Amino acid sequence: IQWFPGHMLETKKQLKSAVAKVDALLEVVDARLPLSSSNPFLKRIATGKNRIKVLNKADIANPETTQAWLEYFNREIKLPAAAICGTRLQEASHALQSLVAQVDRNKARKTKVMVVGIPNTGKSTILNTLAGRKVAKTGNVPAVTRHQQRTSLKGNIDIYDTPGILWPVIEPRQRGLVLAMSGAISDTAVDYHDIALFAAQLLLERYPACLVARYPFLNPLPGAPQDLIESVGNARGCLKKGGYIDFQKAAQLIIRDLRSGRLGRISFERPKDINTNYDTDQ
Ligand code: GTP
């Protein structure tokens, strides 16, 4: 999937020099897709930095899968990680404190923490929660935060916000689909039909009970992704002239339910599915 907004390339260069100036990095990923929403070049520019991977939106991810991810990061690859809901102060502060605890602090100087992550993972939300006021723009559209800003927090900490950045070519294809499903890539950059089929397949395979709970009219549950989308479209009145099912509309409805958590707590990827095509070098 090609995704190339101009400001992101520039940001990558700026990110590298900005990282050099801070004491610690708080990397925000989406708890439902911690691998696909990780920044693949962060490791290279963050060598030797204190780091924590914050699995945000844990409130809408599958709890057992999130636990498995925490074990994967903390135990297997020894990268400190915490799962939080970005609007809960206690959870956000706890993650920040465990990061700051890694830093060899000089009390006379402020500890500089930078929040990094791809678009839409909740960086601004976490910052607002930590600051106790609205300091950053938030929104459900990728790349809302454009310019870096500094906020002073209690405990002699300065926190820097950075724009959500994505790399120009996303590979493998599955990663692109998972990212698109989460809303990290704008809907115009990918084929909605493909995302919807991919989402329907995931739901049928792993979360049939969530489907039945949200769409009780699915009785029996269709076996194929295409049939699932059509059945939802039919029951929810997503119809075109002549009574034909409006596939695009039906697909949007399911994707919206999935993204918002209305379909239940759903994780898009599990550690046990890690595939060798992925850059698992975190
Ligand atoms: P960019 O500016 O594009 O880089 O986005 P960002 O990473 O700053 O994300 P932002 O804080 O704007 O959040 C994106 C969307 O996710 C918003 O609709 C938030 O309300 C939502 N969101 C953020 N954190 C959480 C969370 O912990 N749980 C849930 N359910 N939604 C969240």
Side-chain angles (χ1 to χ4, degrees):
I1 288 172
Q2 295 270 345
W3 163 255
F4 210 70
H7 79 278
M8 288 199 183
L9 249 193
E10 187 51 32
T11 311
K12 185 179 167 183
K13 272 193 256 161
Q14 289 169 2
L15 184 67
K16 196 173 174 185
S17 64
V19 163
K21 296 179 195 140
V22 297
D23 301 299
L25 296 175
L26 191 141
E27 187 196 6
V28 185
V29 298
D30 189 322
R32 296 167 299 169
L33 48 145
L35 204 62
S36 292
S37 61
S38 287
N39 183 331
F41 57 76
L42 193 64
K43 188 186 175 187
R44 263 150 270 159
I45 57 178
T47 335
K49 284 280 162 195
N50 300 292
R51 247 172 98 191
I52 190 167
K53 207 179 263 285
V54 172
L55 278 56
N56 189 42
K57 308 195 186 185
D59 57 310
I60 50 172
N62 179 273
E64 289 86 44
T65 307
T66 300
Q67 199 49 43
W69 278 117
L70 286 176
E71 274 162 35
Y72 171 76
F73 289 118
N74 284 315
R75 303 231 176 99
E76 260 181 65
I77 67 165
K78 311 251 182 292
L79 179 62
I84 73 164
C85 164
T87 50
R88 294 185 194 140
L89 177 61
Q90 219 184 355
E91 295 177 11
S93 302
H94 194 263
L96 177 68
Q97 288 313 323
S98 63
L99 173 64
V100 169
Q102 292 179 31
V103 180
D104 186 12
R105 296 184 86 185
N106 173 351
K107 295 279 182 223
R109 191 173 71 72
K110 289 202 173 198
T111 301
K112 294 180 183 164
V113 172
M114 200 163 87
V115 182
V116 289
I118 69 161
N120 214 36
T121 46
K123 298 176 292 299
S124 304
T125 302
I126 294 174
L127 192 61
N128 288 341
T129 300
L130 290 169
R133 65 197 152 89
K134 204 170 162 96
V135 289
K137 260 191 265 162
T138 61
N140 214 353
V141 202
V144 166
T145 320
R146 293 280 161 109
H147 302 287
Q148 197 176 356
Q149 51 181 325
R150 183 187 65 191
T151 308
S152 293
L153 300 179
K154 276 188 291 191
N156 224 14
I157 299 167
D158 270 353
I159 193 155
Y160 294 81
D161 192 13
T162 55
I165 49 170
L166 265 187
W167 44 102
V169 182
I170 293 166
E171 282 170 338
R173 186 180 129 80
Q174 182 167 332
R175 182 176 206 153
L177 288 169
V178 165
L179 282 167
M181 208 158 71
S182 77
I185 301 179
S186 99
D187 287 341
T188 51
V190 272
D191 185 343
Y192 224 88
H193 188 265
D194 289 354
I195 314 171
L197 288 176
F198 185 74
Q201 174 95 34
L202 172 100
L203 291 165
L204 284 171
E205 267 174 31
R206 295 190 202 155
Y207 297 98
C210 292
L211 281 173
V212 174
R214 177 72 186 159
Y215 311 124
F217 49 81
L218 293 177
N219 189 14
L221 204 57
Q226 178 92 17
D227 297 342
L228 170 66
I229 298 167
E230 286 177 2
S231 304
V232 171
N234 194 29
R236 288 288 174 84
C238 306
L239 301 174
K240 289 199 253 194
K241 263 197 202 135
Y244 297 108
I245 291 164
D246 187 337
F247 192 86
Q248 175 87 358
K249 232 179 175 178
Q252 271 171 351
L253 192 146
I254 296 174
I255 301 272
R256 232 181 285 134
D257 278 353
L258 179 64
R259 283 184 187 159
S260 63
R262 282 192 292 269
L263 259 166
R265 300 181 67 176
I266 290 169
S267 291
F268 302 175
E269 57 191 16
R270 306 173 293 194
K272 62 177 165 195
D273 302 323
I274 292 178
N275 148 338
T276 47
N277 292 333
Y278 264 75
D279 180 4
T280 51
D281 184 17
Q282 298 287 319

